[in-house]
Structure formats: structure tokens, C-alpha cells
């Protein structure tokens, strides 16, 4: 079955969306709708299953801005077996290995001279069965599963950043607590839904080479990315609740839409009007500095 291509917004229900998240959602919607794509909503709640109120408020806020999505929002927690199937396949194809490392083990491990910062140093990659049994006994924790990768970097295409090359290390695909890792879940869900356009905050640009590499490994097409600038406070730090009135409930819908439109240089004060003015080539590449009321 061929499906029409789609874009998406994929909030984690960790807190109410702030004006920066809302602006990213508007941009994801503009990118999708201006290219005739479906627009899908996915709640990334593998970590937050207990608080569905936040997810409901996030969706209500997005709808209040005038954003529309095709079909009901999808909740990651509703289809754990989808990830487990992929992980089982990686296990049976010998493409993953058990990792017993704590954060401290990783931080303290000696690093090969040219190993990139932030890359897993490979401590558990080549353990013998006997060594693995010792690690298991010593740590007493269930292991995470890491992908056995055969590249150091990978290049993705990004509509704002051009060709972006970043680290691909042996990243975790299933955490020690059994929860599928974010990088795996995103790739599996995007492919399952026919998503070929990923628009999100540029804090995730560095994750995109890992995700695109995994997509290719699993036989899925790589999406086109657009990592849009974040919204910062006046100190240049990521906008947060403590910065003042930053959520839709605090700002109000008309004002939030006006602020988002102004930040993008649009006259329209509604998303339909912004769609008419949308020009991906003309998007600001610099962070938006937000001054809460
Ligand atoms: N759930 C992630 C977040 O809220 C976004 C994941 C993605 O867009 O790939 O930061």
C-alpha cells in the first residue's frame, strides 16, 4: 500500500508546551500543509505513561492555535509490540549487543584519540560470553541493548542546515529498564506512518544522523529534515517555565499567534494566513529571543 507522504509533530508530554514548542508545531504544520502532505500527531509518552492530562492539554493547545491533523493522535505507549518486533529482529540478526555500562563507566572510559566527544566508547561491544557473564554479575542490572554500527558518522539532508554530518555511535535501542529508546521509537513510528518530512527543534539536529542511519539499516527511506531554531530567553538559554508567561494558557491564543507570526515575519495572525505567506527559503535561521510579558 502506498500512502501519501506526511509530516508530523511529536511532543513528549513532560510539561505544557511553551511558546517555542508551539512555534515549532506551527512550522511543522506549515511545512507539511504547504507541500500537500498529511500532518500527523504523535504523543511520545514511552516515558510518561502516567500523566495523560499533560498530553491532552498539549493537543488542546495545538488545536486552539488552529492546527489540524489527519486522524487521531497516536500514542507511543499504545503499541509497544511495534518496537519490540523491530528489536527482536535486530537481536536475531546479531545487530545489537548487551551493554552493562552506567553513565559513570562511560564517562570514565579511556577514549581512543580520534573518538568523537559524546560517542559510546565501545566498552561492551566485543565482550566474550564469559566477560559478559562477569559484567552481568557485577552490575546486577538488566542490560541495555546497543546497535552494533559500522560507521562513525552519517550525513543527512536538512532544509535549513544543508548537508549535516554527525556522530553515529553504538547508540542504545532498548534501555536497561526494557523501554525502547527514543531514537529507535522515532524511526519505527515515522516509517510506520509514512512520514517523510521531519520538522522539529534544532536541539535534535545531532540525533538525526543516528536516526537516518537506523532508518536505512531497517530498509526505510530517510526523511527530509528541517531543524528549526529554538526559542531562547534573554540570557541565551532555552526558554523555560521559570522565564514567566510562556504557555498558551498564560499568553492567550490571539497574542501567541501574533508573536509566532511576528517571529517569522508574517502579517497574518492565524495559521491559515501564515500558510499563504509561508516561504521555507525565507525562514529565520537564528534563534528567536523571547521576552515574556
Ligand atoms: N518528542 C521529542 C520532543 O518533544 C521530539 C521528537 C522528534 O520530533 O523527533 O522533544
Amino acid at each position: 500500500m502506498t500512502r501519501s507522504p506526511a509530516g508530523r509533530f511529536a511532543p513528549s508530554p513532560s510539561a505544557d508546551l511553551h511558546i517555542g514548542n508551539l512555534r515549532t508545531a506551527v512550522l511543522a504544520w506549515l511545512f507539511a500543509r504547504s507541500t500537500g502532505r498529511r500532518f500527523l500527531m504523535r504523543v511520545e509518552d514511552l516515558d510518561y505513561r502516567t500523566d495523560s492530562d499533560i498530553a491532552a492539554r498539549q493537543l488542546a493547545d495545538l488545536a486552539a492555535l488552529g492546527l489540524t491533523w489527519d486522524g487521531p493522535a497516536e500514542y507511543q505507549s499504545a503499541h509497544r509490540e511495534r518496537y519490540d518486533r523491530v528489536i527482536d529482529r535486530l537481536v536475531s540478526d546479531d545487530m545489537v549487543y548487551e551493554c552493562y555500562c552506567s553513565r559513570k563507566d562511560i564517562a570514565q572510559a579511556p577514549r581512543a584519540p580520534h573518538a568523537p566527544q559524546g560517542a559510546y566508547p565501545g566498552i561492551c561491544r566485543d565482550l566474550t560470553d564469559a566477560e559478559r557473564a562477569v559484567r552481568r554479575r557485577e552490575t546486577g542490572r538488566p542490560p541495555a541493548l546497543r546497535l552494533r554500527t559500522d560507521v562513525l558518522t552519517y550525513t543527512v539532508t536538512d532544509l535549513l542546515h544543508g548537508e549535516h554530518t554527525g556522530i553515529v555511535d553504538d547508540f542504545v535501542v532498548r534501555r536497561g529498564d526494557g523501554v525502547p529508546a527514543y531514537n529507535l521509537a522515532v524511526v519505527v513510528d515515522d516509517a510506520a506512518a509514512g512520514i517523510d518530512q521531519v520538522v522539529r527543534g534544532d536541539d535534535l539536529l545531532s540525533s538525526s544522523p543516528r536516526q537516518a542511519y537506523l532508518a536505512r539499516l531497517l530498509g526505510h527511506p530517510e526523511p527530509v529534515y528541517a531543524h528549526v531554531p529554538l526559542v531562547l530567553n534573554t540570557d541565551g538559554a532555552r526558554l523555560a517555565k521559570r522565564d514567566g508567561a510562556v504557555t498558551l494558557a498564560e499568553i492567550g491564543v490571539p497574542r501567541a499567534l501574533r508573536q509566532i507570526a511576528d517571529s517569522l515575519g508574517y502579517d497574518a495572525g492565524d495559521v491559515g494566513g501564515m500558510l499563504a505567506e509561508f516561504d521555507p527559503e525565507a525562514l529565520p535561521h537564528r534563534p528567536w529571543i523571547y521576552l515574556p510579558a
Side-chain angles (χ1 to χ4, degrees), residues 8-13 42 44 182 186 190 198-201 203-204 211:
R8 45 68 155 193
F9 186 63
S12 299
R42 179 170 76 234
E44 301 211 314
Y182 156 70
V186 162
D190 284 348
V198 170
V199 179
R200 57 189 179 187
D203 52 331
L204 290 169
Q211 293 171 8

Side-chain angles (χ1 to χ4, degrees), residues 5-8 38 40 42 189-198 221 223:
R8 45 68 155 193
R38 292 177 298 139
L40 305 178
R42 179 170 76 234
D189 285 336
D190 284 348
I195 287 163
D196 69 341
Q197 182 192 59
V198 170

